Amino acid sequence: MSEGDSIGESVHGKPSVVYRFFTRLGQIYQSWLDKSTPYTAVRWVVTLGLSFIYMIRVYLLQGWYIVTYALGIYHLNLFIAFLSPKVDPSLMEDSDDCPSLPTKQNEEFRPFIRRLPEFKFWHSATKGILVAMVCTFFEAFNVPVFWPILVMYFIMLFCITMKRQIKVTC
């Protein structure tokens, strides 16, 4: 490997200016994420505010419905992952009984661990809103569609998915 072939290194062996800039930018971003971790309510209020601004933008522009539909599907998938357990208890059970709480001293209690933790759910949802917002600045993403069909399809998809998620196995 010749000199300067490493990622982010210039010909002289030192990291390039661009590499240092983006590394520092990533560190600042991670620092802000770390500082925001304990403020759950504030984070969600900001996300709801961004969502409201996005909805107003789409309403005023009268377009970008396919982007909004994709955002809704993405948020639905995040929500399902947030509600789902990391390990499905029905797959862990050897018997045909319903999953239940431990009743004997020697049975192990396993707490509910989410497949998608709250912080990652918030972070992904916020990034999705910001990406959708950026897409509304480009006419290429303004695909002409009949939006009531998208709304009905989303409602059907939501109902079917939630029915499957809430369905009792016993």
Side-chain angles (χ1 to χ4, degrees):
M1 192 154 76
S2 66
E3 189 178 339
D5 284 348
S6 297
I7 296 176
E9 283 190 14
S10 66
V11 179
H12 304 294
K14 294 188 296 187
S16 68
V17 174
V18 174
Y19 178 76
R20 286 185 299 178
F21 171 76
F22 283 109
T23 301
R24 183 67 186 136
L25 194 65
Q27 291 170 346
I28 292 169
Y29 178 69
Q30 188 61 48
S31 171
W32 278 100
L33 283 178
D34 293 342
K35 289 176 185 177
S36 72
T37 302
Y39 304 106
T40 307
V42 174
R43 286 187 283 121
W44 281 105
V45 166
V46 168
T47 299
L48 288 175
L50 282 172
S51 182
F52 184 69
I53 291 169
Y54 174 77
M55 285 187 255
I56 289 173
R57 179 163 172 76
V58 168
Y59 176 75
L60 292 176
L61 294 175
Q62 294 293 310
W64 286 271
Y65 300 121
I66 201 79
V67 173
T68 305
Y69 177 73
L71 178 65
I73 296 295
Y74 180 65
H75 282 173
L76 179 62
N77 286 333
L78 289 174
F79 186 62
I80 290 167
F82 177 71
L83 293 178
S84 301
K86 190 172 189 175
V87 178
D88 190 3
S90 63
L91 298 176
M92 301 280 295
E93 298 286 325
D94 292 335
S95 63
D96 292 332
D97 298 338
C98 295
S100 62
L101 293 173
T103 56
K104 299 176 188 162
Q105 188 68 11
N106 60 355
E107 287 185 29
E108 180 184 352
F109 170 72
R110 283 175 270 169
F112 182 80
I113 300 172
R114 298 181 187 281
R115 188 166 25 128
L116 183 66
E118 181 273 333
F119 184 82
K120 289 184 179 179
F121 177 37
W122 165 79
H123 189 232
S124 298
T126 305
K127 285 192 304 187
I129 294 168
L130 291 174
V131 167
M133 186 87 71
V134 168
C135 288
T136 63
F137 289 102
F138 298 99
E139 194 64 35
F141 295 110
N142 190 10
V143 179
V145 293
F146 187 59
W147 66 266
I149 298 237
L150 289 179
V151 171
M152 289 306 298
Y153 186 64
F154 180 79
I155 290 170
M156 281 186 354
L157 188 64
F158 178 80
C159 292
I160 290 169
T161 306
M162 285 296 115
K163 181 180 175 185
R164 188 179 330 138
Q165 191 68 24
I166 297 172
K167 185 174 93 174
V168 179
T169 58
C170 298

